[in-house]
Amino acid sequence: MDLGLRNKVAIVTGSSQGIGKGIVNILKQEGVNVIGFDIKEPTYDIDFFKVDVSKKDQVINGINYVISKYGKIDILVNNAGIESYGAVHEVDEYEWDRIMNINVKGVFLMSKYTIPHMLKQGKGVIINIASVQSLAVQKRVAAYGTSKHAVLGLTRSIAVDYAPVIRAVAVCPGSIRTPLLEWAAEQEVGKEHIEDKIKEWGAMYPMQRVGNPEEIGYLVAFLSSDLASFINGTCITIDGGLTTLIPISSPKNR
Ligand code: NAP
């Protein structure tokens, strides 16, 4: 199916690895001109601009680069995000601010400086990579979970403030195999047991596995296209059924 994305211009943040890289790959397959923003240099072929999404000046510089080179921004994918663990009393203030600055303020800044260009163009789509932890939380993710709930709130605000010109949609993934997920597994069980841990997490999913970055990429490509023209202000969960499952066993019929 042709999504009609050829020659569109998209910014993807957090593009150098993981979900961001998966999104870039699929958008490129669809003929989109993709510009990656990340704090880390990419190790693959992409038009790249170094941007820390939590830094206003860097965000403005990056967006100016895109506008001067391509003249428009059709799609913004706010994907850059970091994770940390801890219940409220365990989270120090520095860590709280770091999570909020990247996961929430980063989405705000990127959107704030992209939206005027989309309004001028008369069209645009903003896709925010939130999480299943925007809808419910696992234990000891106070800062991360709060930040991902906020991303959903921000998505809804953008959706109602700028429709019908701009659509905003959140994507809520479950566990996706990325360097971030591997890091999380390592924190729990050490480097040598990463594979076992990811397999164990996967077994908790009705699909019996974790997801992969390209699966998020396909959803983002669809949401970016005019085929999704009535999808606005909502979140699309992509979690292999995780949040559908009530993890309680059922007795046999008597
Ligand atoms: P990842 O493997 O850590 O990749 C994220 C990329 O973003 C990295 O290249 C990272 O650089 C970069 N980055 C970090 N801080 C940045 C900043 N301030 N400005 C620009 N780039 C920055 O993460 P991922 O697993 O692909 O996750 C991507 C997004 O999906 C995040 O928002 C995450 O919360 C969300 N998500 C992930 C999962 C999952 O299971 N993987 C599930 C639900 C939601 P460094 O490596 O140098 O930090």
Side-chain angles (χ1 to χ4, degrees), residues 34-108:
V34 187
I35 306 90
F37 287 4
D38 202 298
I39 48 173
K40 196 157 68 188
E41 295 286 333
T43 52
Y44 67 104
D45 181 32
I46 180 176
D47 188 353
F48 176 74
F49 201 89
K50 197 166 188 161
V51 173
D52 177 337
V53 295
S54 67
K55 302 277 182 340
K56 176 176 143 182
D57 291 349
Q58 295 185 29
V59 166
I60 292 172
N61 284 345
I63 288 169
N64 285 344
Y65 164 78
V66 175
I67 291 297
S68 64
K69 186 162 174 186
Y70 297 93
K72 60 174 185 168
I73 305 166
D74 299 302
I75 302 155
L76 168 62
V77 184
N78 286 309
N79 164 73
I82 57 169
E83 171 130 37
S84 82
Y85 292 97
V88 166
H89 76 282
E90 298 167 320
V91 179
D92 69 35
E93 192 181 345
Y94 167 81
E95 188 58 13
W96 177 270
D97 288 345
R98 199 173 77 92
I99 293 276
M100 293 303 157
N101 279 337
I102 296 173
N103 292 8
V104 185
K105 189 177 166 193
V107 176
F108 161 70

Side-chain angles (χ1 to χ4, degrees), residues 14 17 19 38 40 51-53 79 130 144 148 173-174 176 178 180:
Q17 66 182 32
I19 292 176
D38 202 298
K40 196 157 68 188
V51 173
D52 177 337
V53 295
N79 164 73
Y144 181 79
K148 289 297 181 180
I176 305 297
T178 68
L180 178 67

Side-chain angles (χ1 to χ4, degrees), residues 199-215:
K199 224 181 237 169
E200 187 189 315
W201 281 333
M204 295 172 177
Y205 285 70
M207 291 297 288
Q208 294 295 295
R209 64 174 177 87
V210 301
N212 66 62
E214 278 69 29
E215 290 175 311

